[in-house]
Amino acid sequence: MSDKNTDPQRTALYDKHIEAGGKIVDFAGWEMSINYGSQVEEHHQVRNDAGMFDVSHMVVLDFKGKDVKSFLRHLLANNIDKLKDSGKALYSCMLNENSGVIDDLIVYYLSDEFYRMVINAATRENDLAWITQQMDAFEVDLTERTDLSMIAVQGPNAREKALSLLDKATAEKVAELKPFFGLPLEGGRFYARTGYTGEDGFEIMISNEEAPELWDALIKAGVKPIGLGARDTLRLEAGMNLYGTDMDTSTSPLVSGLTWTIALSPEDRDFLGRKVLEDDKLAGVKEKFVGLVLEDRGVLRSHQKVITESGEGTITSGTFSPTLKKAIALARVPAGTGLGEQCHVEIRGKKLAAKVVKPVFVRNGKSCLENT
Amino acid sequence: MSEILDDRKYTKSHEWVLDNGDGTVNIGISDHAQELLGDIVYVELPEMDAEFGAEDAVGVVESVKAASDIYAPVPGTVVAVNEALDDAPETVNSDPFGEGWIYTLKLDSADDLDELMDADAYQTEVADD
């Protein structure tokens, strides 16, 4: 069952990473590029122009069949009935019975009997085991699309540059995509206006055979390769959760900044984890998920202790924000902690001053901090 | 390939140590070390006048990726720190052997420098990394 003892896997774009000078690291059993030189320069490239990430290690699952709707209604904490227009995407958690987060994912509505899901690479085995176990009672076919690669093109100029590679008729259709919509094209290609950076752009699925050609064409169009390092600083600035650090099976979405993804209405939708979520809400949630900005000099990192007026908390992910030139973090703190409140973070025995803010720091190239 | 200058000594923890000839040494991190760390965003400088023994942690270099301790290569007292790094920590990336120096140590004993690696030995050490 475990892939852990096997050799690391390579995406169809591995040679392209080497060509571009990528520094290769192991990520969830995949040989991926952490950067191609400077992580900070790559970060700015995405904020100011256009960059691309190979995210082919992520797992694409196609669900088909007459029960697929009722199955996903049961499986996911967000409600897929919100998806009424073809191509519309939904961000959701998949919970266990105790309301712990098994994974976070995106699901696309393609037709009443066809949904496409994208899950994390690191959680693949657990996810598939859980999903297939839940599928028993439903008439649903599951296909893992290992034949597809995925390239995320992100940044203020990302759409324009990606569209320049399409023929006129296709480009017109793809240009009309609204945020959080995907569009299947001929030959298995799929363009979605989604991402993990807080910038506009596309996530493009394409056959493994054609992926290197698209990568080269994007480079020619002025899109630069970006490694997983900058992907993390970009998502953190955008206030987007990372599975495994900001939440996992031991944490409820209610204390992970994911309450907005929980659809408790309609009341008769019996999804996995619902009972415990309702009990927790009734009992009162004791922690909340916030952003922190360090006011003293230093760098915030995960697992550092946060000291607030209402008690202690923990940083779930932290970094130095290249856009704000300050250390920022996501943190789980006592529920009484207020936005704008001063707190302290313990770093190497010293208590450094920080401020509690909304857990979103940068969107579309601009600081969100003035609003807090 | 990272650069190694032969006018100075090195430690296993990748500090370079340049003898100023007046009983003090300048200390920074090697080109190899800054390459491993990636973009440096913060340097926690040692305290002025602090006294350290060999291999004591004296400060920290933080990149976007990770935090890495800086050690005292030999026993001594901190007599200068590179305050320019407060505003421009990236200098450690761009000029690790020059403007990116971190601090100056007054040696307890000049003989202690003999314990450190020369450029050739450090080259071998780095090759094993």
Side-chain angles (χ1 to χ4, degrees):
Chain A
M1 183 81 206
S2 173
D3 290 340
K4 291 204 175 63
N5 297 323
T6 59
D7 290 335
Q9 301 185 75
R10 292 176 176 180
T11 72
L13 293 166
Y14 177 81
D15 291 343
K16 293 291 155 195
H17 300 316
I18 301 297
E19 233 171 74
K23 208 176 284 173
I24 303 297
V25 298
D26 175 273
F27 181 84
W30 290 84
E31 286 190 308
M32 304 297 286
S33 178
I34 185 85
N35 65 57
Y36 301 84
S38 163
Q39 177 177 333
V40 168
E41 274 169 31
E42 289 167 23
H43 181 105
H44 293 312
Q45 173 69 24
V46 173
R47 285 276 178 258
N48 300 327
D49 186 2
M52 63 177 157
F53 309 81
D54 175 15
V55 285
S56 306
H57 57 309
M58 295 191 77
V59 183
V60 181
L61 303 175
D62 282 351
F63 293 86
K64 292 183 179 173
K66 69 177 185 57
D67 286 349
V68 61
K69 220 170 205 175
S70 45
F71 171 64
L72 294 175
R73 235 184 246 133
H74 175 63
L75 184 75
L76 302 180
N78 208 338
N79 188 0
I80 56 140
D81 287 341
K82 290 177 186 171
L83 304 178
K84 303 219 185 305
D85 299 319
S86 179
K88 180 77 177 147
L90 183 76
Y91 174 75
S92 180
C93 289
M94 179 164 71
L95 306 178
N96 62 27
E97 301 281 10
N98 292 323
S99 83
V101 184
I102 293 175
D103 203 0
D104 66 334
L105 53 89
I106 284 182
V107 61
Y108 296 92
Y109 166 57
L110 297 178
S111 79
D112 284 344
E113 297 193 2
F114 180 14
Y115 288 76
R116 171 168 288 182
M117 189 185 283
V118 181
I119 61 173
N120 283 301
T123 49
R124 177 184 168 275
E125 286 175 41
N126 281 340
D127 286 12
L128 286 177
W130 178 255
I131 289 168
T132 44
Q133 185 191 329
Q134 304 306 326
M135 262 167 51
D136 276 353
F138 297 89
E139 241 180 78
V140 177
D141 282 325
L142 166 58
T143 311
E144 184 179 353
R145 298 297 303 271
T146 51
D147 57 317
L148 293 179
S149 293
M150 186 153 39
I151 301 173
V153 189
Q154 303 276 293
N157 302 325
R159 285 173 67 231
E160 190 193 315
K161 289 181 176 182
L163 289 170
S164 74
L165 304 176
L166 297 170
D167 66 74
K168 194 163 170 281
T170 313
E172 274 172 13
K173 274 192 284 179
V174 175
E176 281 170 15
L177 275 176
K178 293 194 206 82
F180 241 61
F181 271 86
L183 180 69
L185 298 174
E186 275 170 34
R189 278 182 304 157
F190 184 86
Y191 278 65
R193 199 167 163 194
T194 50
Y196 194 47
T197 61
E199 299 297 327
D200 205 345
F202 296 122
E203 289 178 304
I204 304 170
M205 297 177 199
I206 187 165
S207 73
N208 294 336
E209 293 74 28
E210 292 174 300
E213 201 181 314
L214 175 62
W215 180 271
D216 286 341
L218 284 163
I219 287 182
K220 279 210 186 89
V223 181
K224 294 200 174 136
I226 312 293
L228 292 181
R231 187 169 166 81
D232 191 52
T233 50
L234 288 159
R235 71 91 194 165
L236 218 164
E237 284 186 350
M240 292 169 167
N241 288 44
L242 173 62
Y243 188 82
T245 3
D246 298 316
M247 71 289 195
D248 58 27
T249 47
S250 71
T251 53
S252 161
L254 300 177
V255 297
S256 310
L258 295 169
T259 308
W260 64 278
T261 71
I262 307 299
L264 288 174
S265 87
E267 280 167 30
D268 60 355
R269 186 175 70 95
D270 182 24
F271 65 87
L272 292 156
R274 176 177 190 120
K275 176 78 177 62
V276 175
L277 285 177
E278 284 178 334
D279 292 351
D280 283 355
K281 274 203 144 180
L282 270 177
V285 181
K286 292 180 184 59
E287 290 173 304
K288 73 197 282 191
F289 201 71
V290 296
L292 299 179
V293 176
L294 188 66
E295 298 189 327
D296 285 330
R297 286 161 23 78
V299 183
L300 300 173
R301 309 276 184 196
S302 59
H303 307 301
Q304 286 169 350
K305 190 198 284 179
V306 185
I307 302 150
T308 76
E309 284 165 25
S310 329
E312 287 180 1
T314 310
I315 288 179
T316 56
S317 37
T319 193
F320 185 85
S321 157
T323 307
L324 304 177
K325 311 242 184 296
K326 285 176 181 172
I328 58 169
L330 299 174
R332 193 171 283 120
V333 295
T337 313
L339 290 182
E341 192 180 302
Q342 290 296 131
C343 67
H344 289 91
V345 178
E346 203 173 282
I347 304 178
R348 294 184 287 273
K350 288 182 202 153
K351 289 187 177 63
L352 303 186
K355 189 178 170 189
V356 180
V357 299
K358 270 192 258 175
V360 48
F361 306 92
V362 180
R363 278 290 163 99
N364 297 313
K366 301 218 166 53
S367 168
C368 305
L369 294 181
E370 297 86 59
N371 312 327
T372 332
Chain B
M1 269 313 285
S2 58
E3 197 181 3
I4 296 175
L5 300 186
D6 58 10
D7 62 349
R8 59 196 75 197
K9 302 244 178 169
Y10 296 86
T11 67
K12 283 197 176 205
S13 48
H14 305 294
E15 288 89 7
W16 55 258
V17 182
L18 180 65
D19 191 349
N20 295 325
D22 60 354
T24 69
V25 288
N26 276 11
I27 296 158
I29 64 168
S30 71
D31 190 32
H32 176 71
Q34 70 79 19
E35 249 176 40
L36 285 183
L37 277 164
D39 300 282
I40 289 163
V41 292
Y42 173 60
V43 180
E44 191 180 296
L45 297 166
E47 305 259 337
M48 277 294 282
D49 303 321
E51 292 172 29
F52 292 109
E55 293 174 26
D56 284 354
V58 305
V60 180
V61 177
E62 298 220 31
S63 69
V64 273
K65 251 189 289 182
S68 176
D69 286 325
I70 319 164
Y71 298 94
V74 290
T77 307
V78 178
V79 292
V81 296
N82 185 1
E83 281 169 3
L85 298 180
D86 281 350
D87 292 325
E90 65 276 8
T91 312
V92 179
N93 290 120
S94 57
D95 190 10
F97 292 123
E99 295 296 314
W101 69 281
I102 294 171
Y103 69 109
T104 305
L105 201 62
K106 186 172 186 304
L107 302 167
D108 286 358
S109 159
D111 294 344
D112 292 331
L113 294 180
D114 298 341
E115 308 287 314
L116 303 175
M117 282 183 278
D118 63 15
D120 286 345
Y122 183 63
Q123 177 76 64
T124 312
E125 176 79 18
V126 167
D128 292 344
D129 247 23

